[in-house]
Amino acid sequence: MNKVLTAVAVGVMATAATAQQQDHSAHAKMMKPTASNPYGPAEMKMHERMMGAAGADATETWVRKMIEHHRGGVETSQIVLRESRDPKVRQMASTTITDQNREIGELQAWLRSHGKRAQ
């Protein structure tokens, strides 16, 4: 019985490892910037930082995650300003940068006003 359980466990672990490798391969492929999608690295950075953002409660955690989300919006907007010549898109990206930076400041101020370390 133990040999059967061990064999099953080894099979499950091997399947999980293969799935994880495939998952990492897919992420690496998505992360590599291309001419049509230069945003992968910025998106991965934002995702990782949002996943890592945590506070003492749901409110603080939300504030910290939103800061990272807005930083991602700024970074992707900066990319489109470098890559796009479309005047309307460039105007929207510039507005996004201004708005997101203002909101980051508001969220940082909320943290400080509640005795929390700003990030």
Side-chain angles (χ1 to χ4, degrees):
M1 180 70 159
N2 283 340
K3 288 182 181 181
V4 171
L5 290 176
T6 300
V8 169
V10 167
V12 168
M13 289 170 46
T15 301
T18 300
Q20 187 176 22
Q21 287 171 342
Q22 290 171 345
D23 188 47
H24 286 301
S25 296
H27 284 294
K29 188 175 183 180
M30 289 186 322
M31 194 171 98
K32 186 176 181 181
T34 65
S36 64
N37 185 7
Y39 307 102
E43 291 170 330
M44 288 299 293
K45 184 168 132 184
M46 179 185 70
H47 173 73
E48 289 170 0
R49 289 182 174 178
M50 285 183 71
M51 293 298 292
D57 57 29
T59 301
E60 182 184 352
T61 296
W62 178 84
V63 169
R64 293 187 181 283
K65 287 182 182 296
M66 289 308 296
I67 289 169
E68 297 307 335
H69 178 68
H70 292 331
R71 285 178 175 160
V74 169
E75 189 170 354
T76 56
S77 295
Q78 290 168 336
I79 292 168
V80 81
L81 285 176
R82 286 193 308 266
E83 302 290 330
S84 179
R85 297 294 150 238
D86 184 288
K88 180 64 177 172
V89 169
R90 292 178 61 78
Q91 184 273 323
M92 289 187 292
S94 293
T95 299
T96 297
I97 290 169
T98 299
D99 292 347
Q100 298 290 288
N101 280 325
R102 178 184 42 77
E103 291 177 18
I104 290 167
E106 291 171 1
L107 292 161
Q108 297 280 23
W110 183 91
L111 287 170
R112 286 189 296 276
S113 74
H114 287 80
K116 308 292 183 178
R117 176 189 54 79
Q119 55 191 68

